[in-house]
Amino acid sequence: MIGFVERTFGVELQGADGLIELALRRNPRRAHLLVSTVLGKHLPTDPRTVFAAGGRLGRLVADRLIAPAGLVIGYAETATALGHCVAAQLGADYLHSTRRHVPGVAVAARFEEPHSHATGHLLLPGNPSSLRRRGPIVLVDDELSTGVTALNTIAELHRLCPHDQYVIAVLVDVRGEADRERSAKLAAHLGAAIDVVALAEAAVRWPPDFPGRAADFVAARSIALTAPTATGGGEVVHVADPWPVQVREGGRHGFGSHDVARAGDAAAALARRIAVGLAGQRVLVLGTEELMYAPLLLGVALAGLVAVVRYSTTTRSPVLALDEPGYPIRTRLTFPATDTDGERYAYNVAPAGGSGAAFTDAAFTDAAFTDIVVVADAAADADRLETGLIEAVRGVCQRVHVVSLPVYLPPPPPLSGPTFGSYRADEVSWLLSDLSDVELEAPTEEREEAIQSGEAHYAESLPVEYQPSPEYQALFAAALEKSATRVAHAVGVVSELVLDLRGPEVVLASLARAGTPVGILIRRWAWFAHSLQLPHHAVSIVRGRGIDTRALDYLGAHHDPSRVMFVDGWTGKGAIARELAAAVDARFDPQLAVLADTGSCVRVYGTREDFLIPSACLNSTVSGLVSRTVLNTRLLAPGQYHGAKFYRDLADVDVSNRFLDAITARFADVADAVARDWPRLRDSDRSPTWAGWAAVAEISRRYGIDDINLVKPGVGETTRVLLRRVPWRVLVRPDRRAELQHVLLLAQQRGVAVEEVPDLGYSCVGLIHPRYTRGATGADGRRAG
């Protein structure tokens, strides 16, 4: 059927396969608007149709690529969801342009869309290096009219980092011959291929007087453009906690292939919740401007639960609404923007024949929606949203369901020395939040009582930092001198196993804080033995709470997740190894590399002997002056890393770099032994036996301890008990007493009984006082603590 614009103004629309219709808009740069029938922007559309169109376009792109796509970029605001669909089809990472300035996020690139109502586009990737990845760049838009915007984008991207191929993917290509020649000239100038794929090709031709006549036509109907929005009494329901905060709602700052499944699961769960509270069976899922993909997923999920589901989004584009046969934009709701000044619009949401009029229950027809699900993001001004868009749509339906999605922001930049920690900035970056100015320390006895009573988690506060006596400092120095060669050998062996497993592009992610000095030593060995400079980050993991997901987001955005190796100092019974395996997402291999696998819990280790690693003797003063990590939701806002403190005031007793340098100085001495031993270990059976876990279970039974977490096996864990917790007793193997002088001294200073156990599976085991309350006495008659 010939449309209204064609019939009235003599415009010709050829081709397009029914994928576009023509409308008029208030825009001096271009009088007409190509309205897509499969995009779900201006026309409420079956979300499955929109999703399928994106999949078809992605398959066309796949056929044209000369190599796997390095990045897919979609255009705001119209094509953000379409770009998501193409990227998902390709299994590629995704980024969409935005017109929103986000404080704290740097602009990586900008370009202009000359014919648009709002011309400026920004690229705000959480990881700016994503624009410099190898592989073709795919640009996704709804239509290609002249191609100027896409060519502007290509020129800017090529300036940042040249690529061999750019693919422009659109639903409909309506370029003329001159436009195609312009593209070919730019390709030749850049020395890169610029290919275009489209679901259909079309042509739009109009008489010379069309722009003027169209402008007059729109101006004459300006009253329709400023008519009051519909208002009424439809019920408004706010959906509580609709979306997990760790799941990205869109690709403004990047969206990885791993995010697709997580967003789909979140949308499916939300759809089930909304479906039970519907007023009827005709539902519109209404996204807001650039926020198109999450609403699309929600619409697809609802389509399997509700009789009729349609999907569209609001827009900033001022299109003429005209209730005429053959004209695509029949009705328009107008309301203020929620994030800036200006008007926004929702088209074809109100039933035709009632644009701008209030609706009553009796007025609803088969064409009206019983429910409208408004999907906005939490950055929207709540008052403006409530009095604007929500007030407008509640006049044209029976129930409005308001869904406010948490806004994903890129992880903050890492901390580094000397402003945080005493390690050099090139040796480790801390994916932590600085809580140095917060009072987090509590007396050991108070912490223990709160932890065991269930009133607090151990990671919500910090113990008071132990200040070593001169005698204890002398023991540390002696232990370091005695064990440095042994530690250096274990460092070399585990380093070679890590490089063998992950390759020379390995990324070290040490578990703060015990893993951090080990990560630095592995990094130093890689430079000593192979001249490799390995990236090294310290991340937080908390028993019972999991790993810091924001830190994982940073690692996934800045590195190849398959190259990440998690590093820790040692294993005890294997609780952290289990926590890590359960906590990391599918992007990462949860394998853990440790210096000493005393509990036989991992496959990558330097040794399984339980011997003294001097870094276990002290707290922050041998760990870069950084505290144990803190996870306290009263102090950390959503989106922040786990926290830690930098104890600057302890700089005069800091031995962190002294420890590292002492071990590094022995690398040359152990190089031959490492070269001989690590291949034999690699080829041996390194399967975990979890012998440590079984030994701890037996100790728990023998000493009547119900909570296995109160049994801390091995030299490192026993030392931690004596430094941080309320110890009950210390078990030692008689033949290892000579190696445990620091443990025996700490036990003496704290008044803790030492019991010799000849058949002990570890050099020593620390037992935390079970069922601790301040003032209680232990089974040995000593006062706890």
Side-chain angles (χ1 to χ4, degrees):
M1 182 180 73
I2 297 177
F4 177 85
V5 173
E6 298 98 301
R7 186 171 64 248
T8 304
F9 297 96
V11 177
E12 294 182 27
L13 173 60
Q14 298 176 342
D17 296 340
L19 295 178
I20 54 174
E21 298 179 15
L22 295 179
L24 303 174
R25 62 178 175 178
R26 279 186 301 167
N27 188 329
R29 300 179 185 89
R30 185 182 298 168
H32 68 279
L33 176 72
L34 303 179
V35 179
S36 172
T37 62
V38 297
L39 186 66
K41 188 65 180 176
H42 304 89
L43 301 181
T45 308
D46 188 320
R48 293 166 295 190
T49 299
V50 179
F51 199 81
R56 287 169 55 202
L57 188 58
R59 289 189 288 276
L60 290 178
V61 173
D63 290 340
R64 193 66 63 90
L65 290 174
I66 61 174
L71 185 67
V72 176
I73 299 176
Y75 285 95
E77 60 182 38
T78 307
T80 57
L82 183 65
H84 269 285
C85 294
V86 171
Q89 182 68 42
L90 297 174
D93 287 350
Y94 177 65
L95 175 72
H96 71 67
S97 68
T98 182
R99 295 184 174 101
R100 178 185 293 178
H101 289 267
V102 179
V105 182
V107 177
R110 63 179 76 229
F111 50 87
E112 294 295 313
E113 184 179 5
H115 67 273
S116 174
H117 180 69
T119 60
H121 284 255
L122 307 174
L123 292 181
L124 306 178
N127 177 16
S129 67
S130 63
L131 300 178
R132 298 187 292 274
R133 289 177 184 159
R134 297 175 180 175
I137 298 291
V138 180
L139 306 176
V140 181
D141 210 348
D142 58 324
E143 46 92 3
L144 200 62
S145 52
T146 65
V148 170
T149 302
L151 297 184
N152 288 345
T153 309
I154 290 171
E156 175 66 4
L157 294 175
H158 205 78
R159 182 186 66 80
L160 294 173
C161 178
H163 292 80
D164 293 332
Q165 185 189 28
Y166 300 88
V167 178
I168 305 170
V170 295
L171 296 173
V172 180
D173 181 1
V174 294
R175 291 175 301 159
E177 190 59 36
D179 302 319
R180 297 169 188 267
E181 291 177 1
R182 187 185 303 114
S183 177
K185 288 180 180 179
L186 179 62
H189 173 72
L190 299 179
I194 299 178
D195 296 311
V196 175
V197 298
L199 296 187
E201 293 189 355
V204 182
R205 298 183 177 86
W206 54 84
D209 62 349
F210 167 60
R213 290 175 59 204
D216 292 341
F217 186 87
V218 171
R221 286 155 180 80
S222 59
I223 187 172
L225 291 172
T226 58
T229 60
T231 59
E235 181 185 7
V236 177
V237 178
H238 290 265
V239 181
D241 300 321
W243 196 265
V245 294
Q246 68 270 24
V247 177
R248 303 190 190 199
E249 85 289 359
R252 181 178 290 112
H253 305 298
F255 199 90
S257 55
H258 67 281
D259 291 309
V260 175
R262 298 167 72 182
D265 291 343
L270 178 58
R272 290 190 293 270
R273 292 177 57 195
I274 290 175
V276 300
L278 294 174
Q281 289 290 304
R282 291 185 59 85
V283 180
L284 172 67
V285 179
L286 184 64
T288 46
E289 298 189 55
E290 295 174 8
L291 182 57
M292 297 183 67
Y293 184 58
L296 174 61
L297 294 179
L298 175 60
V300 171
L302 275 172
L305 305 173
V306 182
V308 177
V309 177
R310 296 293 180 264
Y311 154 81
S312 65
T313 71
T314 65
T315 177
R316 64 177 64 212
S317 180
V319 187
L320 175 65
L322 197 63
D323 196 3
E324 292 284 349
Y327 189 76
I329 306 299
R330 307 295 285 274
T331 68
R332 184 206 72 257
L333 297 177
T334 304
F335 48 91
T338 60
D339 57 353
T340 185
D341 294 330
E343 287 184 338
R344 297 294 184 264
Y345 312 96
Y347 297 111
N348 295 329
V349 172
S355 178
F359 281 75
T360 64
D361 289 345
F364 285 101
T365 67
D366 289 340
F369 295 110
T370 60
D371 298 78
I372 296 177
V373 182
V374 174
V375 185
D377 63 42
D381 182 277
D383 291 336
R384 286 188 178 185
L385 180 66
E386 199 75 28
T387 59
L389 173 59
I390 295 173
E391 186 63 26
V393 299
R394 69 190 290 253
V396 297
C397 70
Q398 298 174 31
R399 185 170 297 160
V400 180
H401 309 259
V402 182
V403 175
S404 180
L405 302 187
V407 178
Y408 170 82
L409 291 174
L415 302 172
S416 62
T419 57
F420 187 86
S422 60
Y423 295 134
R424 297 198 316 263
D426 64 321
E427 297 224 280
V428 62
S429 64
W430 303 88
L431 299 180
L432 297 172
S433 299
D434 189 353
L435 298 179
S436 300
D437 297 328
V438 181
E439 290 293 333
L440 288 166
E441 290 78 11
T444 302
E445 291 78 10
E446 289 183 14
R447 291 185 73 251
E448 192 64 48
E449 184 175 18
I451 292 167
Q452 291 203 32
S453 68
E455 295 177 4
H457 190 274
Y458 79 88
E460 293 178 354
S461 63
L462 291 172
V464 176
E465 278 283 306
Y466 169 74
Q467 300 301 309
S469 65
E471 183 182 5
Y472 189 83
Q473 292 183 44
L475 280 177
F476 168 80
L480 179 59
E481 175 63 27
K482 182 178 180 180
S483 64
T485 300
R486 194 174 185 183
V487 174
H489 179 270
V491 168
V493 170
V494 73
S495 299
E496 293 297 339
L497 289 174
V498 167
L499 290 167
D500 182 67
L501 189 65
R502 293 286 192 268
E505 296 179 350
V506 61
V507 177
L508 303 175
S510 60
L511 303 183
R513 70 183 168 185
T516 306
V518 177
I520 294 175
L521 288 170
I522 292 175
R523 188 178 183 277
R524 288 189 177 189
W525 180 274
W527 175 250
F528 162 79
H530 305 284
S531 299
L532 294 174
Q533 291 274 21
L534 303 183
H536 177 213
H537 306 282
V539 304
S540 170
I541 188 169
V542 175
R543 179 173 49 79
R545 301 289 177 85
I547 199 165
D548 188 342
T549 57
R550 292 296 278 164
L552 292 185
D553 285 344
Y554 182 93
L555 293 173
H558 290 78
H559 305 287
D560 179 353
S562 68
R563 298 294 184 181
V564 172
M565 173 60 76
F566 296 100
V567 176
D568 206 356
W570 54 84
T571 63
K573 56 183 171 289
I576 290 299
R578 291 190 175 193
E579 189 80 41
L580 182 68
V584 300
D585 57 53
R587 290 174 292 175
F588 299 93
D589 178 357
Q591 196 153 196
L592 182 64
V594 299
L595 201 59
D597 180 28
T598 57
S600 187
C601 310
V602 300
R603 293 180 54 83
V604 184
Y605 53 85
T607 180
R608 277 184 170 158
E609 294 183 36
D610 183 17
F611 73 99
L612 172 62
I613 301 171
S615 60
C617 291
L618 300 169
N619 282 330
S620 68
T621 54
V622 77
S623 301
L625 295 182
V626 174
S627 74
R628 203 212 64 236
T629 60
V630 174
L631 179 54
N632 189 320
T633 55
R634 292 182 289 104
L635 302 173
L636 298 168
Q640 286 188 284
Y641 300 124
H642 294 186
K645 298 186 73 167
F646 173 26
Y647 291 115
R648 296 174 177 84
D649 56 311
L650 299 179
D652 59 336
V653 291
D654 183 26
V655 293
S656 302
N657 287 293
R658 175 183 172 187
F659 166 73
L660 295 175
D661 292 344
I663 306 303
T664 306
R666 306 291 178 91
F667 283 174
D669 298 337
V670 301
D672 290 342
V674 169
R676 177 191 68 236
D677 295 339
W678 86 262
R680 293 193 304 202
L681 182 59
R682 176 196 58 193
D683 297 335
S684 67
D685 182 6
R686 292 176 284 131
S687 301
T689 66
W690 295 94
W693 197 276
V696 168
E698 171 58 25
I699 292 171
S700 299
R701 184 197 61 76
R702 184 185 304 177
Y703 288 89
I705 299 176
D706 297 331
D707 184 356
I708 198 172
N709 291 315
L710 300 181
V711 180
K712 303 294 186 180
V715 179
E717 294 301 303
T718 302
T719 305
R720 284 179 167 183
V721 169
L722 291 164
L723 293 177
R724 303 181 190 173
R725 302 294 292 271
V726 176
W728 179 30
R729 64 181 69 190
V730 172
L731 314 180
V732 300
R733 270 177 48 179
D735 60 332
R736 297 292 179 87
R737 288 186 71 101
E739 302 176 17
L740 300 174
Q741 292 305 304
H742 78 290
V743 169
L744 299 175
L745 177 61
L746 285 175
Q748 178 186 353
Q749 291 176 343
R750 298 205 60 183
V752 179
V754 176
E755 178 180 336
E756 293 188 350
V757 181
D759 61 344
L760 195 64
Y762 293 86
S763 295
C764 58
V765 175
L767 304 183
I768 297 172
H769 199 291
R771 295 173 293 280
Y772 174 78
T773 56
R774 280 172 284 176
T777 56
D780 53 11
R782 296 176 180 266
R783 182 167 296 279

